[in-house]
Amino acid sequence: MSSQVRLRLLPSTRCLFDEPVQLKVAGLRSRQVVTIRATSTDEREVVFGSSATYRADDGGEVDLNRDPSLNGSYVGVQPMGLLQSLKADTLHKYFFKNKALNPHVVKFSVHEQEGDGRMLAEETNERFLMGDGVSRDPIKEGNIRGVLFTPPGEGPFPAVLDLGTFMSEKRACLLANKGFLVLSTAVFNDRQNMKEIHLDPFKEAVDFLRHHPKVGPAGSKGVGVISRSKGTDIALSLAAFVPGVQAVVWINGTSASVGTPLYYKKQQILSPLMFDFSKVITTKSGANLIKYAIEDPLEEKNKGSLVPIERAKSQFLFVAAEDDLNWDSKAYMDEMVERLTRHGKENFETVFYPGAGHLLEPPYGPFCSSALHGMLSFSVVWGGEPRKIQEFLRTHLSCDDAQTKANL
């Protein structure tokens, strides 16, 4: 390494997962061309990498907030492009960072363009999921299996149930950093239980949050539910069938119970909306396009799969991505808005992200365009280009003593 070249991460080498850092290089020759690389290893020991080429200014400095990448994993001015473009050498790999206790560690390095690409400087960025004072407690109570994240302080805090298709702690602890008490749980706690789903354990989770001592009297108003993909039909069903759900954030989901029947109090309440696998399209990369393989929930034979959200008293925030290739989230959102409007309801807001894909996730994580589908056991394309929620939850789950500034 060159003792003269310095790579700095500002304001610090340590930050929260959803916070930006500024990369600056100093001590280069005037107009020198260098390559900046990033590498990171996920929880499955898969190595991800990215790189971009920059030309220093007359003073021998590169500032990623100012300067454009000339080529590499991306081009143009993208201050966090090295993080967002991290990619594995193997196709269809999703960056697994789902456990809250360990930081997302990224190594940045600066290399000469000439010769063997000698490394000139390096620095490590530790990106923490849990903020200072947030507590993490595994919950195994009754039929509840999950992890509870509690902000520092006595509360009362607005309470949120975070429903993932499979277990992930990432979104839940990031919300806890913003002042929410969040219970993270999964629709599928194991891959063997995919033939039917029961709503009862999720009702237990709602009741657990409502009666938590740090939620306090605010729990009588109700809790929030945030979900994406398969978790959305469970979230909608909680709003429709279970008391105590005040606000629902629906992200790239459906309006029906997809793939599995739904039971409540030992009775089937929704029939499954099924896939027509003859309509799956295999792409050149080997991943499958399944967007057009799901049956139409509005067909007469499938109407028993529709979640009756018109009976819900909850507030809804529907978030859909234009380029969702897993299923047509925008069409499902439009159908629900039409149905609620037809029933005289005004209890909803909508957000539409042009160019985004199925995996809408917290900012500054590696973008994933295709990966193994957990329910279907083959690789699928998610769509999207690398690229309100707190404000909505805070509005409808307000606790006067727990107001903190939203930054999303």
Side-chain angles (χ1 to χ4, degrees):
M1 288 190 296
S2 170
S3 59
Q4 296 180 339
V5 178
R6 301 179 306 282
L7 171 61
R8 291 185 295 160
L9 305 179
L10 303 173
S12 172
T13 59
R14 296 160 63 92
C15 64
L16 291 177
F17 183 92
D18 55 354
E19 291 179 343
V21 290
Q22 182 180 10
L23 274 74
K24 298 184 76 171
V25 184
L28 299 169
R29 300 189 304 273
S30 175
R31 312 301 293 172
Q32 181 177 356
V33 177
V34 294
T35 294
I36 304 178
R37 299 175 184 169
T39 60
S40 186
T41 303
D42 74 358
E43 293 170 355
R44 295 183 173 180
E45 300 301 319
V46 178
V47 178
F48 288 69
S50 62
S51 66
T53 300
Y54 288 89
R55 186 185 300 277
D57 63 15
D58 292 338
E61 295 189 353
V62 173
D63 182 348
L64 268 64
N65 280 16
R66 173 196 68 190
D67 301 325
S69 166
L70 305 177
N71 58 60
S73 300
Y74 59 93
V75 294
V77 179
Q78 295 191 37
M80 298 292 283
L82 286 168
L83 282 176
Q84 293 168 316
S85 62
L86 283 167
K87 188 176 296 185
D89 290 336
T90 308
L91 289 173
H92 318 313
K93 291 294 183 181
Y94 170 76
F95 189 94
F96 274 87
K97 183 69 194 81
N98 293 335
K99 296 178 181 177
L101 293 179
N102 300 319
H104 175 205
V105 178
V106 185
K107 294 183 178 180
F108 295 101
S109 55
V110 184
H111 299 258
E112 288 182 335
Q113 274 290 95
E114 304 85 6
D116 59 359
R118 180 171 65 100
M119 185 165 66
L120 303 174
E122 63 179 342
E123 190 59 88
T124 299
N125 184 203
E126 291 184 289
R127 308 184 62 77
F128 290 86
L129 290 172
M130 286 178 60
D132 292 339
V134 173
S135 65
R136 175 191 179 276
D137 300 294
I139 302 296
K140 189 175 181 180
E141 184 174 309
N143 291 306
I144 305 171
R145 299 292 181 270
V147 179
L148 182 70
F149 293 92
T150 308
E154 295 303 315
F157 302 112
V160 176
L161 176 64
D162 185 337
L163 279 175
T165 306
F166 298 100
M167 190 61 192
S168 173
E169 302 177 11
K170 180 165 55 181
R171 184 172 56 202
C173 61
L174 291 175
L175 273 174
N177 295 340
K178 313 303 180 187
F180 296 91
L181 186 144
V182 189
L183 175 61
S184 176
T185 189
V187 175
F188 300 113
N189 282 304
D190 61 73
R191 293 177 184 271
Q192 305 303 316
N193 182 27
M194 292 189 179
K195 293 184 178 179
E196 62 183 48
I197 297 176
H198 291 258
L199 198 58
D200 307 75
F202 304 106
K203 179 188 183 300
E204 287 186 42
V206 168
D207 292 340
F208 170 87
L209 287 171
R210 292 184 70 189
H211 297 108
H212 192 280
K214 288 198 173 184
V215 174
S220 61
K221 184 178 180 181
V223 305
V225 183
I226 184 170
S227 60
R228 187 189 67 198
S229 197
K230 175 59 184 172
T232 58
D233 58 72
I234 304 301
L236 295 177
S237 298
L238 285 171
F241 295 103
V242 172
V245 177
Q246 179 67 17
V248 171
V249 178
W250 174 103
I251 304 171
N252 284 344
T254 66
S255 56
S257 182
V258 173
T260 55
L262 183 65
Y263 291 80
Y264 185 41
K265 297 180 180 179
K266 299 181 179 180
Q267 292 186 338
Q268 182 175 313
I269 56 174
L270 294 176
S271 57
L273 184 67
M274 303 306 291
F275 288 85
D276 180 351
F277 288 100
S278 69
K279 295 181 180 179
V280 173
I281 301 169
T282 302
T283 66
K284 290 181 180 179
S285 72
N288 294 285
L289 177 61
I290 64 172
K291 180 174 182 175
Y292 307 106
I294 302 174
E295 294 186 346
D296 184 355
L298 298 182
E299 287 186 10
E300 194 60 38
K301 66 173 183 175
N302 294 323
K303 286 188 175 179
S305 68
L306 283 171
V307 184
I309 56 171
E310 59 275 8
R311 61 187 281 179
K313 297 180 181 179
S314 308
Q315 297 291 320
F316 293 102
L317 175 62
F318 300 123
V319 182
E322 176 187 44
D323 197 35
D324 186 349
L325 298 181
N326 185 70
W327 45 41
D328 197 341
S329 295
K330 176 63 162 54
Y332 293 129
M333 178 176 76
D334 291 343
E335 183 275 317
M336 289 189 291
V337 166
E338 188 279 329
R339 182 155 35 115
L340 289 171
T341 303
R342 183 164 21 98
H343 282 82
K345 299 277 190 171
E346 298 179 347
N347 58 336
F348 59 87
E349 301 173 43
T350 62
V351 177
F352 180 58
Y353 288 104
H358 185 66
L359 296 181
L360 280 177
E361 293 204 315
Y364 313 129
F367 168 69
C368 178
S369 61
S370 63
L372 182 71
H373 193 291
M375 291 178 67
L376 300 180
S377 298
F378 54 68
S379 294
V380 303
V381 288
W382 300 123
E385 302 169 1
R387 298 210 173 280
K388 177 87 179 161
I389 290 169
Q390 291 177 41
E391 180 183 348
F392 170 80
L393 290 172
R394 208 176 301 279
T395 297
H396 297 292
L397 304 173
S398 61
C399 298
D400 291 341
D401 295 334
Q403 295 297 306
T404 56
K405 185 179 179 182
N407 67 356
L408 179 62

